[in-house]
């Protein structure tokens, strides 16, 4: 034990943290908040601080959990684990959180010992993951990049589940197409192993119509209007020879070392450095470079020199753009003021000026590159913050409860949690049905429950793969149903059967969902396993 | 304010700790969540961490925690068992004194005097504990317990090969007590895989040392992914991204640098005078050219990867990119030294004088590529190892940081445990002859070669090959080893080369060097003991036990004599050692590396049984008391382990069955699958006994109001004691 200057206060230690009423109450409040946000018909939450500050409207788990101040250590574990998951996959956060809450609540209702429940949970989790990963899993739809409609459905499903974006159906369609296009642009044309994805740069633009958003190949560099005017005076040729500097061209003195540097009287280092810069400029001009891009600052004299020689000079590009610029132009970032080897130069096809809203951009058009810029426009800050892009190649899982419903049939104790999760997708007070053939999820409007013919009421199942024409038997989700094996069907077949349903298909990313499922169960097990909480009060 | 230190108080404290710890112990144990004032959350089942997180105020509690921590540093296991065992020992001690209380009150002595007596009594007991720990324990383990030992090595003719299934059982049992229920299988499998992947057939202790030193560098933690995504990957993952990455294949050579490659204007304590602008320009050009030429030279040596511990300037990065050399800079010195150890490469030094720099050596790597984990890029190196460690990295995933840390600590602890297990451990004790007079001769007591207190290097030096574990017959080895033990204990670092017999120094137990108080106290204790256990033979009178007690003092004196003698000449020491060996049946044996016992209280029950047996045969009072005390306290651990079991597997049933099999000489059968290290248990026992001795010797706790002072270890040590 080392000596401390400040004596530490003894910690507070209490046992069986989950049994206290307070924890249960907070847990159920949190669950209530989260469940009401879940799904395409989820409700928005407005978060504001009583002391002032911005008001935030959201239904996203990431934003919600970040802004909610949770004090109890157990809830803290839950929220951090969900946040960590979201930062990995940026999807399925609410799913994870709600499932975890449900598991904890349901286990507490049973009389089983913690040991048994944890063992069972782990076992069932393995069962589920094995099923979902296996080929027999009826709810997987493989995705390949040639099948754009399915990809589009995925992107759209994600966007629709974010009502705080305040997008109309048309706007969602527009944005989904853009996101998908931007993503597809990052895939290089000549595919070798391993595929190195390009990059799409998101350029935020506020106060514009959503439908003004667009995807442009190449890189957009924001410049001031005056600068752009100057650039426009320069004559154009194509393709342009480009040079990219990562070092500063401002003439500052490099690291003198640990000792002293003594400068004699009458020696002006500024002149010496400027001479060097101008020499560099001369070399650039003689090498017929037409565009100079610099991460840092270019000395005004050098800039002037370059402009007079019809060379466009753009400085303060910033470190974020350096990598995409290097990719687009093929130029190597230069870190020296000495002579430049010809291999470091790059080229672009063309450039043009662009004006979006009140901002001016210098647009570099590449010959062939995997870098694109996605201009995202939106009316308000909050709504823009809500817009996020995520593209995850891989297998896709049908969403909207179909899986949950299917899993529900696997085991009772564990899956009543999944069941109520699926149940929470219905917010309008309607009933939820499950069909006995595929185990998919159906939702009906609230109303007279004594309907004889379900087919009249139901048109399409939650994820839109099946329509009600098929001969299916339904039962209420919460009623006790006799176990059956979900019929395995090849998604392709049904896909081909009803191509027109492509518009309403709701999809979810399998990798994210699977990981979310695992994280939820692991976190729940962890919380259930707690015997003590020791709080350091100092 | 001063409070009298008492066993009662210590027991109260220990019982509180026991209550907390006993819920986390064993396979049914549960997790503890610790929060820090910074808001961090830590999950733990590690007893040491839990105890430290409590920030206990009570002075005795702090002693206990300090003892646990130092025990953990050594062995990496057993913190919870420590507390439980200690608690049972204290309980047992108190029970003994409770019975005696009546006799004390009858005496009607004044309070101060009584307390004084109490203290002396505790002191006696603590001395008896020390005697037990240093002499009887080793004897019992070697003589009786060792026949039950199993080994994790499959002992074929000459080579010892590690048995994978045994190691799995051992690790699984270890992680049962350290990580959450749902992850133990996965983590122990991970550890087992890692172990076998990193080890070559000729790997030895140095691998353990390397992993022990560089554990942080050898694993990468990732939050947000499920624990089941944890895995082992080939090669080394550096916690950095490339500054320059140029894909390369074929023969990739790597160079290490610890300084900035680009020359600077002036070095430390020198001055660079600029006289003209052209001079400045030419020197800048020279710097550029020089950097360029260094890079060219590196390339000509086929160096494709440069590892740097400092940040390299833009210029270097630029020329590296031009030459197609990948650069990883800002590596921590630990990472650099780990790489150096693995590939046996020293950093190259730039000479300022000549333009042509000397690159002493380079090493090959199999591959070098970026490694993306959760949107963070790392450098993945396929190093070709020149030592017996084959580099592999563990990637630990978990939903929250706290859980990942828990697994990391558990893995680290497991390595510590294995490290202890893979060493031979020497036991030294005196085989008591039947003749009671023998025991009175002094040299015996110096023979208590306490190995665990010797410096670590020593334990290394006398490590013998596995084959000669049974060295009782080998006289020569015996002698030399004894000499070494002796020299280390007393003379420290003096090499004994010659071997000249000489007359022994006079060290006959003449009188007791004891204070009056002790004298007064002793007969009392004796009476009590006789009252309690009617096992004593009549001949064993009070006088006998007094000599028993004085002996310790004498033996201390002996040490002093030896010390003085040593200064004059080394001869007496040598002579005595020979003498001891010949006349007393001095035994030196060892717990061979890899000794294990079935998990679930086997060690405790066995030791319990043999200690009771020993106590029956034993004729000395305090040995009997102490043996019985320890034997009974040992049962506390299996009692807790078997608590959730019912019926045929409840503790009384198991205990009776075990006793029966032992009495009838049948092999022990354990109901648990799993193994635990014997040496770990042995260390635990000795640590607890040492801790108990420490507690017992305190008579007064003084509360100091002044602020603790910093930068003084002595002070903090004092703080603990009072």
């Amino acid at each position: 034990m080392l000596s401390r200057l400040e004596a530490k206060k003894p910690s507070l230690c209490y046992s069986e943290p989950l049994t206290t009423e307070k924890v249960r109450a907070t847990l159920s409040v949190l669950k209530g908040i989260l469940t009401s946000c879940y799904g395409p018909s989820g409700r928005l939450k407005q978060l504001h601080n009583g002391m002032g500050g911005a008001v935030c409207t959201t239904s996203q788990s990431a934003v919600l959990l970040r802004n909610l101040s949770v004090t109890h250590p157990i809830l803290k574990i839950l929220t951090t684990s969900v946040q960590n998951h979201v930062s990995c996959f940026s999807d399925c956060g609410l799913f994870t959180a709600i499932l975890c809450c449900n598991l904890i609540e349901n286990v507490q209702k049973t009389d089983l010992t913690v040991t048994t429940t944890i063992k069972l949970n782990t076992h069932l989790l393995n069962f589920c993951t094995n099923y979902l990963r296996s080929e027999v899993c009826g709810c997987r739809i493989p995705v390949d990049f040639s099948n754009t409609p399915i990809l589009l459905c995925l992107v759209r499903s994600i966007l629709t589940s974010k009502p705080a974006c305040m997008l109309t159906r048309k706007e969602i369609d527009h944005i989904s197409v853009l996101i998908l296009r931007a993503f597809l642009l990052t895939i290089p044309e000549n595919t070798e192993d391993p595929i190195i994805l390009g990059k799409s740069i998101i350029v935020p633009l506020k106060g514009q119509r959503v439908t003004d958003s667009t995807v442009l190949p190449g890189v957009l560099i924001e410049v001031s209007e005056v600068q752009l005017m100057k650039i426009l005076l320069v004559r154009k040729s194509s393709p342009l020879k480009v040079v990219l500097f990562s070092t500063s061209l401002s003439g500052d003195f490099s690291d003198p070392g640990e000792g002293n540097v003594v400068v004699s009287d009458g020696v002006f280092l500024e002149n010496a450095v400027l001479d060097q810069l101008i020499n560099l400029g001369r070399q650039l001009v003689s090498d017929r470079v037409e565009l100079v891009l610099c991460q840092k600052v270019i000395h005004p004299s050098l800039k002037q020199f370059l402009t007079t020689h019809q060379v466009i000079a753009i400085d303060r590009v910033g470190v974020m753009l350096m990598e995409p610029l290097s990719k687009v132009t093929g130029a190597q970032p230069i870190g020296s003021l000495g002579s430049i080897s010809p291999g470091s130069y790059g080229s672009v096809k063309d450039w043009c000026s662009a004006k979006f809203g009140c901002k001016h951009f210098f647009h570099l058009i590449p010959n062939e590159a995997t870098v694109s810029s996605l201009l995202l426009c939106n009316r308000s800050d909050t709504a823009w913050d809500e817009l996020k892009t995520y593209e995850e190649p891989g297998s896709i899982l049908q969403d909207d409860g179909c899986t949950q419903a299917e899993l529900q049939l696997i085991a009772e104790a564990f899956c009543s949690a999944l069941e109520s999760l699926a149940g929470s997708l219905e917010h309008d007070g309607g009933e939820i049905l499950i069909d006995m053939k595929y185990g998919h999820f159906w939702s009906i409007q609230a109303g007279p429950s004594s309907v004889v013919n379900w087919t009249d009421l139901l048109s399409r199942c939650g994820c839109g793969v099946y329509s009600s024409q098929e001969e299916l038997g339904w039962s209420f989700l919460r009623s006790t149903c006799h176990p059956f094996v979900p019929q395995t069907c090849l998604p392709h077949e049904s896909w081909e059967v009803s191509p027109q349903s492509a518009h309403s298909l709701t999809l979810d990313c399998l990798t994210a969902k699977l990981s979310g499922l695992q994280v939820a169960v692991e976190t729940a097990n962890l919380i259930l396993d707690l015997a003590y909480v020791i709080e350091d009060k100092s | 304010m001063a409070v009298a230190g008492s066993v009662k108080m210590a027991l109260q404290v220990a019982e509180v700790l026991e209550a907390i710890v006993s819920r986390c112990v064993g396979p049914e144990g549960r997790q503890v969540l610790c929060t820090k004032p910074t808001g961090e959350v830590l999950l733990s089942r590690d007893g040491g961490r839990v105890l430290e997180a409590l920030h206990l105020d009570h002075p005795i509690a702090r002693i206990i925690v300090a003892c646990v921590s130092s025990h953990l540093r050594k062995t990496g296991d057993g913190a919870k068992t420590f507390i439980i065992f200690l608690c049972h020992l204290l309980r047992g001690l108190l029970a003994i004194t409770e019975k005696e209380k009546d006799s004390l009150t009858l005496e009607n002595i004044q309070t101060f005097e009584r307390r004084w007596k109490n203290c002396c009594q505790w002191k006696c007991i603590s001395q008896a504990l020390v005697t037990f720990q240093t002499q009887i324990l080793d004897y019992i383990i070697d003589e009786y317990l060792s026949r039950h030992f199993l080994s994790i090595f499959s002992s074929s003719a000459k080579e010892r090969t590690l048995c994978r299934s045994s190691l799995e059982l051992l690790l699984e049992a270890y992680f049962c007590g350290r990580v959450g229920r749902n992850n133990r299988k996965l983590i122990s499998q991970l550890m087992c895989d890692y172990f076998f992947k990193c080890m070559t057939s000729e790997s030895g202790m140095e691998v353990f040392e390397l992993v022990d030193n560089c554990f942080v560098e050898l694993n990468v933690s990732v939050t947000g992914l499920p624990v089941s995504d944890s895995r082992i990957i080939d090669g080394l993952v550096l916690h950095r991204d490339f500054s320059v990455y140029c894909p390369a294949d074929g023969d990739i050579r790597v160079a290490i640098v610890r300084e900035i490659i680009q020359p600077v204007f002036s070095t430390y304590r020198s001055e660079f005078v600029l006289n003209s602008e052209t001079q400045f320009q030419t020197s800048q050009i020279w710097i550029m050219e020089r950097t360029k030429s260094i890079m060219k030279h590196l390339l000509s040596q086929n160096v494709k990867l440069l590892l740097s511990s400092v940040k390299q300037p833009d210029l270097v990065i630029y020329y590296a990119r031009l030459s197609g050399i990948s650069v990883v800079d800002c590596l921590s010195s630990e990472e650099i030294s780990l790489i150096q150890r693995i590939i046996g490469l020293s950093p190259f030094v730039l000479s300022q004088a000549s333009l042509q720099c000397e690159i002493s050596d380079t090493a090959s790597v199999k591959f070098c590529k970026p490694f993306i984990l959760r949107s963070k890029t790392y450098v993945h190196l396929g190093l070709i190892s020149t030592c017996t460690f084959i580099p592999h990295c563990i990637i630990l995933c978990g939903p929250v940081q706290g859980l990942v840390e828990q697994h990391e600590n558990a893995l680290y602890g497991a390595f510590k445990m294995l490290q202890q297990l893979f060493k031979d451990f020497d036991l030294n004790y005196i085989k008591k002859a039947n003749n009671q007079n023998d025991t009175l001769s002094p040299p015996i007591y110096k023979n208590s070669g306490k190995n665990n207190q010797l410096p670590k290097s020593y334990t290394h030096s006398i490590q013998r090959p596995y084959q000669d574990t049974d060295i009782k017959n080998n006289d020569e080895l015996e002698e030399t080893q004894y000499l070494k033990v002796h020299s280390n204990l007393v003379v420290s670092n003096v090499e004994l080369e010659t071997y000249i017999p000489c007359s022994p120094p006079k060290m006959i137990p003449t009188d007791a060097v004891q204070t009056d108080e002790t004298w007064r106290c002793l007969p009392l204790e004796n009476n009590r003991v006789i009252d309690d256990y009617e096992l004593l033979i009549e001949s064993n009178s009070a006088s006998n036990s007094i000599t028993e007690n004085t002996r310790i003092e004498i033996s201390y004196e002996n040490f002093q004599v030896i010390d003085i003698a040593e200064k004059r000449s080394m001869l007496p020491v040598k002579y005595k050692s020979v003498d001891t060996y010949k006349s007393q049946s001095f035994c030196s044996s060892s717990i061979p590396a890899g000794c294990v016992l079935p998990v679930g209280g086997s060690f405790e029950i066995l030791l319990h049984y043999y200690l009771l047996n020993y106590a029956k045969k034993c004729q000395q009072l305090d040995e009997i008391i102490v043996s019985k005390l320890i034997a009974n306290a040992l049962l506390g651990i299996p009692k807790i382990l078997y608590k959730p079991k019912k019926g045929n597997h409840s503790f009384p049933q198991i205990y009776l069955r075990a006793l029966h099999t032992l009495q009838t000489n049948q092999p022990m059968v354990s109901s648990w699958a799993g193994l635990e290290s014997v040496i770990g248990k042995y260390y635990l026992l000795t640590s607890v006994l040492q801790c108990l001795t420490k507690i017992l010797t305190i008579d007064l706790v003084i509360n100091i109001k002044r602020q603790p002072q910093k930068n003084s270890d002595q002070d903090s040590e004092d703080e603990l004691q009072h």
Side-chain angles (χ1 to χ4, degrees), chain A residues 4-158:
Chain A
R4 305 181 205 90
L5 279 181
E6 211 172 305
K8 290 220 169 186
K9 279 183 217 155
S11 307
L12 190 71
C13 173
Y14 46 93
S15 65
E16 297 300 335
L18 272 179
T19 50
T20 53
E21 201 47 53
K22 202 184 137 205
V23 179
R24 287 184 181 196
T26 17
L27 202 64
S28 74
V29 168
L30 181 72
K31 188 190 143 196
I33 295 172
L34 295 171
T35 31
S36 58
C37 292
Y38 189 54
S41 52
R43 303 289 188 256
L44 291 184
K45 298 286 166 289
Q46 197 177 55
L47 301 169
H48 73 102
N49 190 336
M51 309 294 283
V55 177
C56 157
T57 311
T58 186
S59 73
Q60 269 190 52
S61 57
V63 185
L64 203 62
L65 294 178
R66 192 172 55 227
N67 288 318
L68 283 178
S69 61
V70 185
T71 46
H72 196 279
I74 287 190
L75 291 179
K76 229 183 226 166
I77 280 218
L78 204 157
T79 50
T80 36
S81 97
V82 173
Q83 277 173 302
N84 283 336
H85 165 79
V86 170
S87 66
C88 269
F89 293 98
S90 50
D91 200 5
C92 297
L94 284 174
F95 167 81
T96 313
I98 299 168
L99 180 60
C100 188
C101 289
N102 278 337
L103 272 175
I104 295 167
E105 264 187 10
N106 289 349
V107 167
Q108 279 182 300
K109 280 179 206 153
T110 61
D111 293 335
L112 295 168
T113 59
V114 183
T115 335
T116 343
T117 45
I118 290 175
K119 233 179 245 168
L120 282 176
N121 278 349
T122 330
H123 180 71
L124 292 169
L125 174 70
N126 286 338
F127 196 88
C128 291
T129 46
N130 287 343
Y131 173 71
L132 287 175
R133 283 198 181 117
S134 67
E135 288 303 313
V136 283
C137 171
C139 45
R140 284 200 332 181
I141 297 177
V143 168
D144 61 81
F145 294 127
S146 59
N147 196 346
T148 41
I150 289 191
L151 279 174
L152 198 60
C153 286
L154 171 65
V155 179
R156 199 191 293 119
S157 316
I158 294 167

Side-chain angles (χ1 to χ4, degrees), chain A residues 303-350:
Chain A
K303 230 176 183 174
Q304 183 63 37
F305 174 84
L306 290 171
T307 335
T308 49
H309 289 83
Q310 299 282 319
V311 178
I312 306 167
I314 298 173
D315 61 349
R316 299 176 215 230
V317 169
V319 73
M320 294 301 283
L321 276 181
M322 286 306 280
E323 204 205 323
L325 276 174
S326 169
K327 257 192 183 142
V328 162
T329 58
Q332 279 187 343
I334 292 163
S336 102
L337 302 182
S339 62
I340 297 160
S341 71
S344 306
Y345 295 121
S347 74
V348 285
K349 196 170 158 196
D350 202 0

Side-chain angles (χ1 to χ4, degrees), chain B residues 414-425:
Chain B
F415 258 103
K416 275 237 160 108
M417 185 266 289
L418 286 182
Q419 191 174 4
Q420 297 290 344
L421 180 65
F422 277 62
K423 280 182 200 158
D424 287 342
F425 180 83

